[in-house]
Amino acid sequence: MLTVDNISLYYGAAQALRGVSIAAEPGKVTCVLGRNGVGKTSLLRALVGQQAISSGTISFDGHDISKLKPYERARRGISFVPQGREIFPLLTVEENLKTGYAPLKRADKTIPDDVFALFPVLNTMLGRRGGDLSGGQQQQLAIGRALVMRPKLLLLDEPTEGIQPSIIKDIGRAISYLRGLGNIAIVLVEQYLDFACELGDNFAVMDRGAVKFSCDRASLDPAEISRQMAL
Ligand SMILES: Nc1ncnc2c1ncn2[C@@H]1O[C@H](COP(=O)(O)OP(=O)(O)OP(=O)(O)O)[C@@H](O)[C@H]1O
Ligand SMILES: [Mg+2]
């Protein structure tokens, strides 16, 4: 339902994506792996429309969305958990969650029960300012906010980065639960290989703006992925 075909992206004269193709399907986790600076975030920015692509196509639910504005893609059900979380520090947890209402119709403007079932800490901290939460709690808040939008496609940019192990487990359980629902396609950008290998159905390793290795779960060899990431 997401098909990215041969996209390229430039920052001025510098090329950050070189003919990248990936796909994502409901009920599946597509993992995008690679070292720092290889273009993982640029790929997600291209998908949500924060950066224009110069060639190739991004199609979602059978429509070419390459030229749509970010809010139009959000309305179609594309939701983004950005690297570094980008929660609003001065808004409360509840207000942060409600920023996810923006693309929704009035009748849908509620916080789904799932969010608090997955991350109970958010319920106990509803009135606290986002900036007062720990890094791990902020990451849970960022994922919760993305779920408020009822995504059909959920994009996660290094959700385990700088997060303590117990919360990494909670985030892993949440991704696994969302995958099990069967109606959400998930793209997980990671450098934490073990985490990605546990959750992923498909794997793409990027290097210098291009996908240089890919495989599915059936042929997954973590040692080979690790080798590809280190090259
Ligand atoms: N706004 C920008 N303007 C110019 N160059 C950029 C910009 N954002 C990223 N780049 C460059 O594009 C390349 C890819 O960056 P990107 O952030 O997509 O990598 P990444 O794989 O997400 O890295 P990391 O793992 O460190 O998050 C890098 O060389 C980076 O310096
Ligand atoms: Mg990045």
Side-chain angles (χ1 to χ4, degrees), residues 9-11 14-18 20 38-39 42 206 208-210:
L9 181 152
Y10 290 80
Y11 298 109
Q15 187 167 9
L17 296 180
R18 302 167 192 272
V20 170
V38 297
S42 301
M206 290 182 68
R208 278 166 281 182

Side-chain angles (χ1 to χ4, degrees), residues 5 15 47 54 76 85 88 91 98 125 134 154 176:
D5 185 28
Q15 187 167 9
L47 298 182
S54 60
R76 286 176 186 233
R85 315 182 270 271
F88 300 100
L91 298 185
K98 288 183 174 175
M125 298 185 103
S134 73
L154 179 64
S176 177

Side-chain angles (χ1 to χ4, degrees), residues 38-118:
V38 297
K40 304 180 300 296
T41 297
S42 301
L43 171 60
L44 296 188
R45 286 206 194 113
L47 298 182
V48 294
Q50 288 179 3
Q51 285 289 333
I53 56 173
S54 60
S55 60
T57 54
I58 302 168
S59 73
F60 182 62
D61 275 346
H63 300 279
D64 184 352
I65 61 161
S66 317
K67 303 252 164 15
L68 295 185
K69 298 267 189 299
Y71 73 87
E72 294 171 309
R73 302 191 204 193
R75 274 195 198 146
R76 286 176 186 233
I78 300 180
S79 192
F80 184 28
V81 181
Q83 188 168 18
R85 315 182 270 271
E86 295 181 20
I87 58 135
F88 300 100
L90 298 180
L91 298 185
T92 65
V93 166
E94 184 172 12
E95 288 164 343
N96 267 282
L97 289 170
K98 288 183 174 175
T99 62
Y101 286 174
L104 298 177
K105 298 196 184 80
R106 187 172 299 179
D108 292 333
K109 293 188 178 185
T110 57
I111 299 171
D113 295 339
D114 282 10
V115 171
F116 297 128
L118 290 171

